[in-house]
Amino acid sequence: TLASMRVPLWPCILIAATGILATDTPHPRDSALHHLTQHLLQQYHKEVRPVHNWADATTVYLDLFVQAVLDVDIQNQKLKTSVWYREVWDDEFLSWNSSMFDEIREISLPLSAIWAPDIIINEFVDIERSPDIPYVYVNSSGTIKNFKPIQVVSACSLQTYAFPFDIQNCSLTFNSILHTVEDVDLDFLGNREDIKYDKKAFLNDSEWELLSVSSTYSILQSNAGDFAQIQFNVVIRRCPLAYVVNLLIPSIFLMLVDLGSFYLPPNCRARIVFKTSVLVGYTVFRVNMSNEVPRSSGSASLIGVFFTVCMAFLVLSLSKSILLVRFLHDEWSSGQELLPLLCLQGDTDTGGSRMDLRAQQAGVTESPVCQEHQAQSGTLKEVWFQLRSINNYLQTQDQVDQRGVEWLALLYRFDQLLFRSYLVMLGLYSVTLCSLWALWSGL
């Protein structure tokens, strides 16, 4: 029957629709972009510099923007920065008529498939660390744009004498490795003044601030030929607020405390104890400061120099006080030792006179008047010897006191000299810090 011979229609409809979709969907090989890529790279040789006339130089336009200062290694004299690098050049073999390729005016091509200039940074001291961006943009006129971020670890002469108001100037020099200026020339992509003061891309951190990125063009002459180079000078300065609060102000307070110790008498033992305590404070502060102050084998910071000089003044003043107390103690001890000797000498003389008197009394019997006269005479001699002993002791003590006064006068003058020198050093220290801060703020 006809009903039993009916066939379902939905499979046929599905097959027909699939065929229509397959017919309407364009294959990638039929796209204008695919045809354009094949047209550009099929006969392209990346080993050859892309000029029709070999005498024409290929000009590479450069600029960069500093994004961040990642690390300033003063001990190893290295600067690590993150920069946005832009590189543009013309390739005469990669141009096309956009009307023939569906009005395509710009495409991306693999960087490994085309010629690229051999531009390097002379100050590189470490492996370049940047995201791998394998493509570049090419427009219909043959202009190639290669934009990429780079982490640059470069050698730089870093100075620490003005720490924490130091300003560092590091250069990044771009030039070709093999191609001379006759083959590859360099130029600025944008206005040099705009590059110098453009800080929009810079990410401010808590320690370093970008001042400027000046640039210069020059020709490097060597035995291998003349090479074009562009040098970017990255000028940064340290933000000193944390170091002023944690280092400079405490150091000035410590110096003022040490300066106040000069008002104590030089022969006072409490002064030695006080200055010893200050010396311990200096030592602890110096250890903490060594962890904060950057170390460099080529230069020393002014803070470290001033602090070392103040420590030297402290040690000199402490040594002077110790010697003075020791000298006065020796003089006083020698004066005390003379007193028993003089008294012993007086007692010996008096005892001898008494023995003579007893012998005379035992051997000869004299009248009471003579005996009374002799007794009075012995008493007067004893008093005389005692007075002479006291006189000798007082004379010796006066000599000791006189020498002590002379030493005290000499050390007082020396103490005044140290005080004035310390005061001048502290004033110079303060003026230097204020001058460095003023210079830092003026930039």
Side-chain angles (χ1 to χ4, degrees):
T1 62
L2 293 176
S4 61
M5 296 178 61
R6 289 178 180 175
V7 179
L9 297 179
W10 64 268
C12 299
I13 296 173
L14 181 61
I15 293 172
T18 305
I20 293 173
L21 290 174
T23 304
D24 294 341
T25 303
H27 195 274
R29 293 183 179 179
D30 298 330
S31 66
L33 183 61
H34 178 74
H35 284 301
L36 176 58
T37 303
Q38 279 192 334
H39 170 73
L40 293 175
L41 299 180
Q42 188 173 9
Q43 301 296 327
Y44 188 86
H45 297 282
K46 64 178 183 180
E47 297 84 5
V48 181
R49 191 165 57 88
V51 289
H52 293 289
N53 184 3
W54 65 271
D56 295 338
T58 301
T59 303
V60 181
Y61 300 91
L62 304 176
D63 69 1
L64 63 82
F65 300 96
V66 179
Q67 292 182 310
V69 178
L70 302 179
D71 185 30
V72 179
D73 190 353
I74 294 181
Q75 185 174 4
N76 297 316
Q77 298 290 290
K78 294 191 297 185
L79 174 68
K80 185 177 182 180
T81 53
S82 176
V83 301
W84 183 259
Y85 173 68
R86 300 197 302 177
E87 190 179 61
V88 175
W89 71 93
D90 291 332
D91 193 321
E92 297 180 6
F93 300 150
L94 294 179
S95 59
W96 67 91
N97 188 355
S98 59
S99 61
M100 298 176 59
F101 296 95
D102 200 15
E103 298 298 330
I104 297 177
R105 301 184 182 277
E106 191 174 52
I107 63 172
S108 61
L109 293 176
L111 181 61
S112 60
I114 63 175
W115 180 89
D118 53 342
I119 305 298
I120 64 166
I121 300 178
N122 288 337
E123 291 82 5
F124 257 139
V125 293
D126 201 352
I127 300 175
E128 175 184 331
R129 298 178 182 179
S130 59
D132 186 16
I133 303 178
Y135 294 97
V136 294
Y137 274 111
V138 184
N139 62 20
S140 58
S141 61
T143 301
I144 300 177
K145 301 176 182 178
N146 182 19
F147 300 164
K148 58 181 179 181
I150 307 175
Q151 285 189 10
V152 182
V153 181
S154 58
C156 181
S157 178
L158 302 172
Q159 304 294 330
T160 60
Y161 67 92
F163 174 87
F165 306 103
D166 50 333
I167 299 173
Q168 309 295 344
N169 188 348
C170 299
S171 61
L172 301 176
T173 307
F174 294 82
N175 67 298
S176 174
I177 302 177
L178 299 175
H179 296 89
T180 61
V181 68
E182 289 82 8
D183 296 330
V184 174
D185 197 6
L186 301 180
D187 202 353
F188 296 100
L189 180 60
N191 189 358
R192 294 169 59 183
E193 292 299 321
D194 294 339
I195 298 174
K196 183 175 182 179
Y197 296 107
D198 191 354
K199 304 178 185 178
K200 296 178 181 178
F202 185 74
L203 303 176
N204 286 318
D205 60 1
S206 59
E207 187 169 3
W208 294 98
E209 177 187 357
L210 179 66
L211 292 181
S212 64
V213 183
S214 58
S215 54
T216 56
Y217 172 86
S218 61
I219 301 295
L220 177 63
Q221 298 179 349
S222 64
N223 296 330
D226 298 338
F227 296 86
Q229 67 178 14
I230 290 180
Q231 185 179 73
F232 294 95
N233 295 312
V234 180
V235 182
I236 57 176
R237 69 178 179 184
R238 192 189 303 269
C239 299
L241 181 60
Y243 297 99
V244 170
V245 174
N246 297 326
L247 286 180
L248 299 187
I249 295 179
S251 68
I252 292 177
F253 285 162
L254 192 58
M255 292 176 185
L256 288 175
V257 170
D258 188 21
L259 195 64
S261 66
F262 282 92
Y263 285 96
L264 294 175
N267 57 340
C268 180
R269 290 177 174 83
R271 181 176 185 177
I272 298 178
V273 177
F274 184 80
K275 280 189 169 291
T276 304
S277 302
V278 175
L279 181 60
V280 173
Y282 262 107
T283 305
V284 174
F285 188 80
R286 180 66 178 172
V287 172
N288 295 332
M289 190 176 69
S290 63
N291 297 327
E292 298 290 339
V293 177
R295 289 173 292 179
S296 175
S297 59
S299 61
S301 62
L302 291 178
I303 295 178
V305 172
F306 280 117
F307 209 75
T308 303
V309 172
C310 290
M311 284 189 69
F313 279 137
L314 172 60
V315 172
L316 192 60
S317 176
L318 181 60
S319 302
K320 181 261 302 176
S321 298
I322 293 174
L323 291 176
L324 176 61
V325 171
R326 177 63 181 175
F327 172 76
L328 294 179
H329 175 74
D330 292 341
E331 292 290 338
W332 181 83
S333 299
S334 62
Q336 292 294 324
E337 291 173 357
L338 288 175
L339 178 59
L341 294 177
L342 295 174
C343 294
L344 182 59
Q345 181 181 0
D347 292 341
T348 303
D349 295 338
T350 306
S353 63
R354 287 178 179 176
M355 290 180 64
D356 294 340
L357 183 60
R358 289 194 187 98
Q360 292 176 2
Q361 290 176 354
V364 180
T365 301
E366 298 179 353
S367 64
V369 177
C370 292
Q371 291 179 358
E372 183 180 358
H373 177 74
Q374 289 176 357
Q376 292 178 356
S377 176
T379 304
L380 291 176
K381 287 183 179 179
E382 182 179 356
V383 173
W384 167 252
F385 283 122
Q386 292 292 337
L387 291 176
R388 191 173 64 178
S389 300
I390 293 173
N391 182 46
N392 292 335
Y393 169 74
L394 292 177
Q395 289 180 356
T396 305
Q397 193 64 33
D398 287 341
Q399 293 176 0
V400 172
D401 293 341
Q402 184 65 27
R403 285 197 296 268
V405 169
E406 292 175 357
W407 276 100
L408 276 177
L410 177 62
L411 292 177
Y412 264 117
R413 289 194 293 268
F414 184 70
D415 204 54
Q416 290 178 356
L417 178 62
L418 280 179
F419 176 77
R420 292 171 183 173
S421 302
Y422 207 136
L423 197 61
V424 169
M425 182 59 61
L426 184 59
L428 185 61
Y429 178 66
S430 303
V431 170
T432 302
L433 291 181
C434 293
S435 300
L436 290 176
W437 201 341
L439 291 175
W440 180 90
S441 302
L443 295 176

